[in-house]
């Protein structure tokens, strides 16, 4: 336990340092794209580094949910259900953040806060599907049935993730692509040397943030599972009229 706590403490300090460095890289180090026409759009482009980083976190969260759900269906180990639930929470939170930062970027670039572009539409559907995932979990009381239903639902809901990623390549979209070419894109820009460096630094930072958040949330989830088991055992003993021994310090 002490080693795990030490690892998490070290990761927490690391992401604090990386976050400060990432703000510098995205806001100061990276130069304004020269191909954007106005000063406002050039400054708004700096949201890109954090918008994409949050996108990576959301994608990692939903992919981890998919993999952990399949592993639960194969092994029936509750650990994988905790991982799946924790990853889905991260995916939803940062999925909403992606939509919010994208809207902030869209206002000066597209002159609107929102448009039903294929990428925006599919991303919104994906977030709503995983909000429904958590609603499903909360609606089922039996923990084994809850884990099984959530794993099956999460497996099918994940289909929306690659569809969202490919939407700007399959359909006409004004959303710019980072890699590749989209002739209909509005607000696209070239990855110059400083932009490329800041971009990959931000991606690395958000990957470390995701790993740290996931480890912390899984640890909390496992603690919640143990407390639920203790609570259930206590209720069973009370229902049988048996006395319940007080839990000694350090017993849980």
């Amino acid at each position: 336990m002490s080693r795990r706590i030490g690892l998490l403490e070290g990761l927490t300090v690391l992401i604090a340092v990386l976050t400060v460095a990432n703000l510098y890289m995205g806001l100061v180090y990276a130069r304004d794209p020269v191909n954007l026409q106005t000063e406002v759009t050039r400054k708004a482009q700096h949201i890109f580094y954090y918008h994409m980083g949050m996108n990576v976190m959301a994608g990692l969260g939903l992919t981890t949910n998919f993999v952990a759900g399949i592993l639960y269906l194969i092994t029936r180990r509750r650990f994988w259900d905790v991982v799946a639930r924790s990853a889905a929470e991260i995916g939803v939170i940062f999925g909403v953040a992606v939509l919010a930062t994208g809207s902030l970027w869209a206002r000066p670039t597209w002159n609107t806060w929102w448009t039903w572009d294929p990428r925006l539409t599919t991303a919104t559907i994906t977030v709503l599907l995983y909000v429904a995932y958590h609603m499903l979990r909360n609606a089922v009381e039996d923990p084994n049935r809850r884990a099984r239903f959530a794993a099956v639902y999460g497996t099918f809901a994940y289909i929306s993730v690659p569809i969202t990623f490919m939407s700007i390549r399959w359909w006409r979209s004004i959303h710019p692509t980072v890699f590749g070419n989209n002739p209909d894109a509005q607000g696209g820009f070239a990855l110059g040397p400083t932009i490329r460096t800041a971009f990959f630094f931000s991606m690395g930072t958000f990957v470390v943030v995701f790993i740290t958040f996931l480890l912390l949330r899984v640890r909390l989830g496992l603690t919640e599972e143990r407390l639920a088991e203790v609570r259930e055992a206590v209720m069973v003993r009370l229902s049988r009229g048996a006395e319940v021994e007080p839990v000694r310090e350090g017993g849980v």
Side-chain angles (χ1 to χ4, degrees):
M1 177 64 74
S2 61
R3 287 185 178 180
R4 284 183 292 177
I5 292 176
L7 172 64
L8 290 174
E9 289 175 346
L11 285 173
T12 302
V13 173
L14 177 61
I15 63 173
V17 174
L18 287 176
T19 299
V20 173
N22 195 30
L23 289 172
Y24 170 80
M25 294 291 289
L27 299 177
V28 180
Y29 174 78
R31 297 181 179 179
D32 297 345
V34 295
N35 62 310
L36 296 181
Q37 297 178 353
T38 67
E39 183 71 13
V40 174
T41 56
R42 287 194 290 269
K43 295 302 181 185
Q45 181 273 339
H46 290 266
I47 298 173
F48 158 78
Y49 306 104
Y50 314 107
H51 174 71
M52 281 299 300
M54 293 174 184
N55 206 355
V56 167
M57 283 195 68
L60 286 173
L62 301 184
T63 301
T64 303
N65 170 267
F66 171 71
V67 174
I70 291 178
L71 289 174
Y72 173 80
L73 292 174
I74 295 173
T75 65
R76 301 298 189 190
R77 289 185 58 195
R78 294 289 293 278
F79 169 79
W80 293 117
D81 178 57
V82 173
V83 173
R85 181 186 65 184
S86 303
E89 289 177 359
I90 297 173
V92 169
I93 291 171
F94 283 91
V96 172
V98 168
L99 295 176
T101 54
S103 182
L104 292 173
W105 188 7
R107 182 65 180 90
T109 304
W110 299 340
N111 200 32
T112 182
W113 293 103
W114 185 264
T115 179
W116 290 104
D117 177 82
R119 168 57 66 84
L120 276 66
T121 302
T122 53
T124 302
I125 292 172
T126 298
V127 171
L128 292 176
L129 283 172
Y130 282 92
V131 169
Y133 169 90
H134 291 291
M135 295 174 66
L136 172 65
R137 294 191 66 96
N138 292 332
V140 181
E141 293 187 3
D142 180 76
N144 293 321
R145 290 181 61 204
R146 179 172 61 234
R148 186 170 64 254
F149 289 173
V152 172
Y153 178 91
T155 300
F156 286 100
Y158 185 75
I159 296 173
S160 65
V161 176
I163 291 176
T164 299
F165 177 77
M166 295 300 297
S167 60
I168 55 179
R169 295 166 175 82
W170 288 346
W171 302 295
R172 291 188 63 180
S173 171
I174 61 174
H175 193 286
T177 58
V178 179
F179 300 104
N181 182 36
N182 178 14
D184 298 314
Q186 297 181 19
F189 54 89
L191 291 179
T194 60
I195 294 177
R196 188 181 298 273
T197 301
F199 169 75
F200 285 111
F201 185 87
S202 182
M203 296 304 99
T205 297
F206 277 99
V207 168
V208 176
V209 171
F210 170 76
I211 293 171
T212 305
F213 280 14
L214 182 62
L215 291 175
L216 288 169
R217 186 62 186 91
V218 167
R219 188 177 71 169
L220 178 61
L222 292 175
T223 301
E224 292 172 345
E225 289 285 319
R226 288 193 291 269
L227 289 175
E229 291 173 359
V230 171
R231 188 183 303 111
E232 183 178 356
V234 169
M235 295 302 296
V236 170
R237 290 179 63 87
L238 289 175
S239 66
R240 294 175 180 174
E243 294 184 358
V244 179
E245 296 181 0
V247 177
R248 297 179 181 178
E249 184 178 355
V252 178

